[in-house]
């Protein structure tokens, strides 16, 4: 025992290693717990019960939505909102037009246009509804009737990605605002799918050229990196003691063999 203490005292490795490992564990815990706490403040999980946002979001998917103010919403965002004229429950749709936009269906090739600019929407399912398409009781599938809407200032025009099975702004064209909802109705923006797949939602490039562009992703990636970095530091710091003891035991056995 005395020989081991003397060896550690000569080069200081034992004491210094313990200090460094302790610091690594402390920093790791701070990053790990801080990342989770940061995520809980910024994001909120939701379960999507309907197929109106397929193929982007499927029924039963869990999503992570960043808590935002309606003023921060851009075209192309998938948002969580609540509007009493639509439903008493939160709904998820994609923002196609903002205040001042003219949203029209359809262009020369059958595409949606915003301010005369055709939209390239690879995320949307625009196939026609099949016979017997399942819809909620008392509700009919949306029709492909052409429309042209001037979105009021401060409002948003919202569509589901599965156009043939989504009750969205098109179902409220005869109401005030021609189916648009106030920005204040928005409570969050979907940044990622969390279950059963883990996927970040990309901002549609088709909206980037329009005035105002697209929104910037939230801090989710940085939060995940923070949590993972914390876990790695904790694991490395906690493993120092057992590894050091194994190495020290091996050195003692080698010295005993030489003697």
């Amino acid at each position: 025992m005395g020989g081991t203490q003397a060896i550690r005292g000569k080069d200081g490795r034992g004491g210094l290693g313990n200090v460094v490992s302790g610091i690594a564990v402390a920093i790791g815990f701070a990053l790990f717990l801080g990342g989770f706490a940061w995520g809980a403040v910024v994001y909120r999980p939701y379960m999507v019960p309907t197929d109106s946002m397929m193929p982007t979001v499927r029924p039963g998917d869990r999503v992570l939505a960043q808590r935002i103010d309606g003023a921060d919403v851009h075209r192309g965002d998938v948002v969580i909102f609540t509007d009493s004229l639509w439903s008493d429950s939160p709904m998820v749709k994609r923002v196609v037009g903002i205040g001042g936009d003219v949203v029209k269906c359809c262009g020369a090739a059958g595409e949606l246009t915003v301010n005369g600019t055709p939209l390239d929407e690879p995320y949307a399912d625009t196939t026609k509804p099949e016979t017997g398409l399942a819809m909620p009781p008392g509700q009919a599938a949306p029709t492909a009737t052409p429309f042209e809407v001037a979105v009021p200032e401060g409002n948003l025009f919202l569509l589901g990605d599965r156009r043939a099975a989504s009750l969205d702004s098109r179902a409220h064209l005869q109401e005030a605002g021609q189916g648009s909802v106030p920005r204040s109705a928005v409570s969050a923006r979907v940044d990622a799918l969390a279950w059963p797949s883990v996927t970040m939602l990309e901002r549609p490039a088709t909206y980037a050229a329009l005035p105002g562009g697209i929104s910037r992703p939230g801090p989710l990636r940085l939060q995940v990196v923070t949590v993972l970095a914390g876990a790695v530091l904790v694991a490395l710091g906690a493993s120092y003691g057992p590894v050091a003891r194994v190495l020290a035991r091996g050195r003692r056995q080698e010295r005993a063999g030489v003697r």
Side-chain angles (χ1 to χ4, degrees), residues 105-213:
C105 179
C106 297
E111 74 279 17
L112 201 67
T113 67
V114 174
N115 302 329
T117 301
L119 298 182
D120 178 18
E121 299 184 284
Y123 52 80
D125 177 1
T126 57
T127 56
K128 294 182 179 180
E130 300 175 357
T131 304
L133 180 68
M135 294 295 292
Q139 297 176 345
T143 66
T145 303
F147 64 85
E148 183 171 342
V149 172
V151 185
E153 290 295 338
N155 281 25
L156 305 168
F157 194 80
L158 304 153
L159 297 180
D161 283 358
R162 192 181 183 197
R163 298 291 158 79
S166 175
L167 290 172
D168 45 40
S169 288
R170 296 169 298 167
H172 301 270
L173 292 175
Q174 305 306 316
E175 299 171 5
Q178 290 185 280
S180 62
V181 301
R183 283 181 175 268
S184 58
V186 174
S187 59
R189 175 174 54 219
V190 178
D191 252 7
L193 304 181
W195 182 263
S197 62
V198 180
T199 310
M200 295 294 295
L201 256 62
E202 300 297 331
R203 272 46 173 180
T206 190
Y207 296 96
L210 295 173

Side-chain angles (χ1 to χ4, degrees), residues 48-129:
V48 178
T50 69
D51 62 357
S52 67
M53 282 299 295
M54 287 179 60
T56 306
V57 184
R58 299 180 181 277
D61 282 357
R62 271 66 172 178
V63 301
L64 289 177
Q66 182 184 1
R67 305 171 196 262
I68 62 169
D69 185 88
D72 298 327
V73 174
H74 290 65
R75 302 180 192 87
D77 288 345
V78 176
V79 297
I80 308 293
F81 69 99
T82 305
D83 188 284
S84 59
L85 294 178
W86 291 41
S87 172
D88 292 329
S89 302
M91 302 184 71
V92 55
K93 302 294 178 187
R94 189 180 296 274
V95 177
V96 173
I98 61 176
D101 285 346
V102 175
V103 182
K104 184 178 179 179
C105 179
C106 297
E111 74 279 17
L112 201 67
T113 67
V114 174
N115 302 329
T117 301
L119 298 182
D120 178 18
E121 299 184 284
Y123 52 80
D125 177 1
T126 57
T127 56
K128 294 182 179 180

